[in-house]
Amino acid sequence: MNRVSTFLLLISLIFTGCHKKVTPVEYVLPDTVQLQSGDLAFRTGISKESRAVTTLDRNSIYTHVGMVVWTDDGWRVLHAVPNERASKQEEDSVKLEPIGTFFRSDRAEKGGIYRYPLTPKDTQQLREHALALYARHPLFDNLFDAQDTIAFYCTELVYFLYLQELQIDLSEGRRHNLPLYPDLIFCTDVSRNSKLQEVWSFH
Amino acid sequence: MKKLIVILLAVAAVFGMTSCNSSSPSKVVTSYYKALQAGDLEKAMTYTDLTSDEEIQKQIEKFNTFEIKVQNFEVVSETIADDGNSAVVEVKQTVTSAFNSEPKEDTKKLNLVKVDGKWKIHE
């Protein structure tokens, strides 16, 4: 009987283990973090494109970036991301997500909020522009063409908002070259901006 | 005798033209893309102006790390500068990589320069 019980217990443990799914956990930002529109939210993902970026660019701490915006529903991150569609029928597009979702456990293993010194008028301008841009529902820029303003990839989006609204070049002219691609603005090209100050981070 | 000279000159001209064609900017770009399509990155690099082993390996690492692969390509146009030392070749390309969930179709302009009399893709 003991043997049978042990066998059944083992079998049930094996099957429970096989079917166990890890539920992604929404990140809870500490109350002490005071956000403002225009803050940059960086994260390092666990996707293969994130791995590729960190493999090639050893100086890169982060691999994805979005912009923090105050909305009627609370703080959100405006960001352009590939391969995070709810269904295959949808197209990759610019998203406006809660902070906790942006830093969700299955999407971020490192993250941080960084601030460019801005006036209240600047932050208001950025916020309005970001929300107006989101209302157009632009697509993710699969061509990675920073010259167009129809579709955006992650760094292109924050670069575009700051440049067009405030004439600030977050990348300070830095670019990365990949074969068969146009010159790209990598996360590190933005995060290396000397004026950015860390508000909060987790590793 | 005159006929023979004319024939020899004609043959030489044909050979000369053929040799020019085989090393035209478009031909070099076509060979480069064919090598990429075949996954022969070392060979593809011979069509570029990269010379040091370090530069070549770095470029190959970029292809491998980002899983950049050529699905299809077609040379669209070729423009050679007046001085004959540089050229631009426009290529319609379909590329897959770690960045794209779907193949990326776009047009890429490649700059070429003459190195020791041979066209090379400028990287």
Side-chain angles (χ1 to χ4, degrees):
Chain A
M1 185 61 187
N2 262 351
R3 277 187 178 175
V4 174
S5 305
T6 311
F7 176 74
L8 286 173
L9 182 65
L10 274 173
I11 291 293
S12 67
L13 278 174
I14 288 166
F15 275 94
T16 314
C18 286
H19 290 285
K20 193 179 175 186
K21 278 185 181 174
V22 179
T23 310
V25 181
E26 299 273 316
Y27 199 89
V28 181
L29 205 65
D31 293 337
T32 50
V33 179
Q34 300 290 310
L35 298 171
Q36 72 176 37
S37 290
D39 283 349
L40 300 177
F42 288 93
R43 76 181 184 200
T44 299
I46 50 175
S47 62
K48 66 175 177 181
E49 55 266 34
S50 294
R51 297 276 180 237
V53 169
T54 47
T55 303
L56 189 77
D57 188 354
R58 310 258 193 283
N59 297 321
S60 180
I61 304 170
Y62 300 114
T63 58
H64 184 59
V65 64
M67 195 178 92
V68 175
V69 185
W70 174 253
T71 74
D72 293 341
D73 298 318
W75 291 108
R76 294 286 185 272
V77 179
L78 183 79
H79 67 122
V81 65
N83 307 323
E84 277 188 17
R85 295 167 288 178
S87 71
K88 280 193 173 179
Q89 283 72 43
E90 286 179 28
E91 290 188 270
D92 290 325
S93 61
V94 171
K95 300 164 92 173
L96 192 62
E97 289 188 319
I99 306 275
T101 310
F102 182 83
F103 289 124
R104 213 170 70 181
S105 59
D106 61 334
R107 293 175 177 169
E109 58 183 20
K110 288 179 198 170
I113 304 282
Y114 292 78
R115 182 166 298 160
Y116 192 96
L118 299 171
T119 65
K121 189 183 162 207
D122 290 341
T123 60
Q124 184 59 23
Q125 275 179 243
L126 276 176
R127 177 182 174 270
E128 284 169 11
H129 193 165
L131 293 176
L133 185 141
Y134 178 67
R136 288 181 2 225
H137 295 295
L139 295 176
F140 180 80
D141 191 353
N142 279 308
L143 300 180
F144 292 88
D145 181 2
Q147 303 303 314
D148 67 25
T149 53
I150 303 163
F152 300 91
Y153 61 96
C154 71
T155 34
E156 179 191 4
L157 179 64
V158 296
Y159 163 83
F160 170 79
L161 287 167
Y162 267 76
L163 190 66
Q164 203 180 60
E165 204 54 51
L166 307 174
Q167 292 75 53
I168 292 168
D169 178 359
L170 285 175
S171 73
E172 297 171 327
R174 287 179 290 271
R175 293 292 181 275
H176 273 71
N177 171 266
L178 274 192
L180 309 185
Y181 274 82
D183 282 347
L184 296 169
I185 307 169
F186 269 29
C187 253
T188 185
D189 295 326
V190 172
S191 66
R192 278 174 57 199
N193 187 304
S194 54
K195 288 190 177 169
L196 282 183
Q197 292 161 351
E198 184 183 306
V199 175
W200 159 88
S201 68
F202 72 96
H203 297 284
Chain B
M1 186 63 184
K2 270 185 183 174
K3 268 187 183 174
L4 184 65
I5 290 169
V6 170
I7 290 167
L8 283 173
L9 281 173
V11 169
V14 167
F15 269 101
M17 283 166 76
T18 313
S19 107
C20 280
N21 274 343
S22 68
S23 60
S24 71
S26 296
K27 293 273 180 187
V28 169
V29 168
T30 301
S31 302
Y32 171 71
Y33 270 84
K34 277 186 176 172
L36 291 179
Q37 225 174 0
D40 193 344
L41 300 177
E42 299 270 357
K43 188 178 178 187
M45 294 306 110
T46 63
Y47 301 109
T48 72
D49 64 353
L50 299 176
T51 49
S52 76
D53 282 351
E54 194 187 340
E55 284 176 330
I56 290 168
Q57 287 314 313
K58 202 174 171 187
Q59 192 74 345
I60 287 175
E61 190 192 0
K62 286 180 184 176
F63 274 101
N64 287 331
T65 306
F66 288 94
E67 299 171 18
I68 300 169
K69 286 174 183 143
V70 173
Q71 301 289 308
N72 284 306
F73 74 95
E74 181 192 342
V75 172
V76 179
S77 68
E78 174 189 279
T79 310
I80 299 174
D82 291 341
D83 64 5
N85 288 323
S86 63
V88 177
V89 173
E90 213 172 357
V91 182
K92 204 172 154 186
Q93 60 176 19
T94 307
V95 173
T96 58
S97 78
F99 283 132
N100 298 91
S101 51
E102 305 290 336
K104 170 178 87 84
E105 283 183 32
D106 65 349
T107 304
K108 170 91 179 160
K109 282 182 179 172
L110 286 100
N111 295 307
L112 289 94
V113 287
K114 253 189 184 167
V115 179
D116 299 331
K118 289 181 179 175
W119 287 109
K120 297 280 181 184
I121 296 162
H122 179 57
E123 291 287 3

